[in-house]
Amino acid sequence: MDVILLERVEKLGAIGDVVKVKDGFARNFLLPRKKALRANEANRKVFEANRSRIESDNANRRGEAEKEAQSFKDAQVTLIRQASNTGQLYGSVAVRDLIEALEADGHKVAKSAIVLDKPIKAIGVYTVKVALHPEVSVTVKVNVARSPEEAEMQSQGVDVMASMFERDEAGFTEDYDPNAEPGATAEVHSDEPAQG
């Protein structure tokens, strides 16, 4: 299906471009969200008659988004979550969690603006893209940790998981018995004779 774009759509085109898209994409996404019109003669005439208004509205929205983008300069959110010893989260960080954290920092963000390719499922520092407008996007650092202290270490660039495993190596070591069954623990030898 050929459509006329009413706003810039990533990987498709800019305002006024006539592009060929799959029917389902047009019917289920572009047309209902008023991002495009079907490319027929009547709609082409309507678009050309309103082109200057559509472009000026887009420019105004882009200007507002650029002002808002200034408030996101060096934006960082910290999320404290429970996780296993290997750093895997019990659950995951989803778009809803990021919206709540950004709103707590005073940023008003729509759910559709957050571009999260896949849910965050491990502790660490991530960069998440926030599309304030089709032509304006910012990145937000998301620091996922198990405690505020761990979050502070991660924000300074320390790899918490690597440093934790280094610490463990120096701790308790178990005697190795080459004759033991797989999965068995080392036996405790004592000087007392066995009761029998």
Side-chain angles (χ1 to χ4, degrees):
M1 177 187 298
D2 288 342
V3 294
I4 305 167
L5 296 178
L6 296 176
E7 67 178 51
R8 182 181 175 277
V9 179
E10 201 168 332
K11 298 179 184 166
L12 264 187
I15 295 175
D17 290 355
V18 177
V19 293
K20 185 169 190 64
V21 295
K22 292 189 175 177
D23 292 355
F25 183 57
R27 279 195 309 265
N28 298 325
F29 181 75
L30 295 174
L31 298 175
R33 296 188 183 187
K34 310 258 187 279
K35 292 179 182 281
L37 292 171
R38 290 177 191 268
N40 56 30
E41 277 310 308
N43 283 343
R44 281 196 179 103
K45 288 177 184 168
V46 169
F47 176 76
E48 288 305 324
N50 295 322
R51 184 180 198 123
S52 61
R53 183 184 55 79
I54 291 170
E55 287 177 348
S56 68
D57 287 350
N58 182 56
N60 291 340
R61 286 197 320 270
R62 185 176 59 229
E64 290 170 12
E66 285 169 349
K67 281 183 207 160
E68 193 177 335
Q70 297 302 317
S71 71
F72 275 91
K73 191 165 176 56
D74 301 328
Q76 180 171 339
V77 245
T78 302
L79 298 170
I80 306 300
R81 294 286 186 268
Q82 291 183 340
S84 69
N85 290 340
T86 59
Q88 292 296 316
L89 296 179
Y90 298 133
S92 64
V93 174
V95 172
R96 179 176 27 91
D97 302 318
L98 296 174
I99 290 172
E100 290 171 4
L102 287 168
E103 284 180 351
D105 272 6
H107 301 292
K108 188 81 175 127
V109 180
K111 185 178 180 182
S112 60
I114 294 182
V115 182
L116 190 62
D117 298 331
K118 57 184 192 271
I120 297 170
K121 295 188 175 190
I123 64 172
V125 179
Y126 301 88
T127 54
V128 175
K129 181 178 164 187
V130 179
L132 301 172
H133 180 269
E135 299 168 30
V136 180
S137 64
V138 294
T139 56
V140 175
K141 268 191 171 180
V142 179
N143 189 344
V144 182
R146 289 178 287 201
S147 67
E149 296 79 22
E150 198 173 78
E152 183 62 34
M153 287 171 58
Q154 285 184 162
S155 66
Q156 294 170 358
V158 176
D159 185 355
V160 176
M161 294 315 297
S163 63
M164 186 173 83
F165 285 121
E166 286 170 11
R167 250 195 342 261
D168 283 356
E169 287 172 11
F172 172 77
T173 56
E174 192 174 293
D175 290 336
Y176 173 69
D177 182 2
N179 300 327
E181 292 289 319
T185 57
E187 293 180 17
V188 177
H189 296 289
S190 64
D191 295 336
E192 294 178 22
Q195 305 265 329

